[in-house]
Amino acid sequence: MSILVNAIYEQGQLRLSEALDLPDGQRVQVQIEPIDDLQVLKNLLGNTVIWASDDEDNDAWIESQGDELRTRLSGTGNLSDMIVDDRDETS
């Protein structure tokens, strides 16, 4: 069985983005692959955004949007719940 889960490295420890369905004491092997947040955002938004440039020097707006998205996703809810909430607020 293999589980893929995102984590954030803070103060010398990895904080998982979700709980794991593993028994206490289960030994696991961890492989660390840093995430390029800007590339993840571009992949997520894909063709829904007209990108001004692929030059990283001109990507300040994209980075700010990524920061906002990460902040919103770091709460206890998930993306689906946030979309439903936003739709309810605009209705």
Side-chain angles (χ1 to χ4, degrees):
M1 171 178 76
S2 178
I3 300 171
L4 177 62
V5 62
N6 290 328
I8 296 176
Y9 184 73
E10 294 178 325
Q11 300 176 357
Q13 296 184 350
L14 288 174
R15 181 173 53 88
L16 302 181
S17 61
E18 58 193 71
L20 300 178
D21 186 21
L22 294 172
D24 283 342
Q26 174 68 52
R27 293 178 51 86
V28 299
Q29 182 178 31
V30 178
Q31 178 177 340
I32 306 296
E33 295 182 24
I35 298 172
D36 178 354
D37 290 331
L38 182 58
Q39 190 58 49
V40 169
L41 181 61
K42 285 182 176 183
N43 292 342
L44 177 67
L45 297 177
N47 294 329
T48 62
V49 172
I50 299 172
W51 302 104
S53 170
D54 284 334
D55 181 1
E56 289 185 18
D57 293 336
N58 294 324
D59 286 337
W61 179 84
I62 296 169
E63 290 177 15
S64 71
Q65 295 301 301
D67 291 341
E68 180 180 339
L69 183 60
R70 278 188 297 282
T71 299
R72 292 186 71 191
L73 291 175
S74 67
T76 57
N78 60 43
L79 181 57
S80 297
D81 291 339
M82 289 176 12
I83 291 170
V84 169
D85 291 343
D86 285 346
R87 287 182 181 164
D88 288 345
E89 289 174 11
T90 58
S91 297

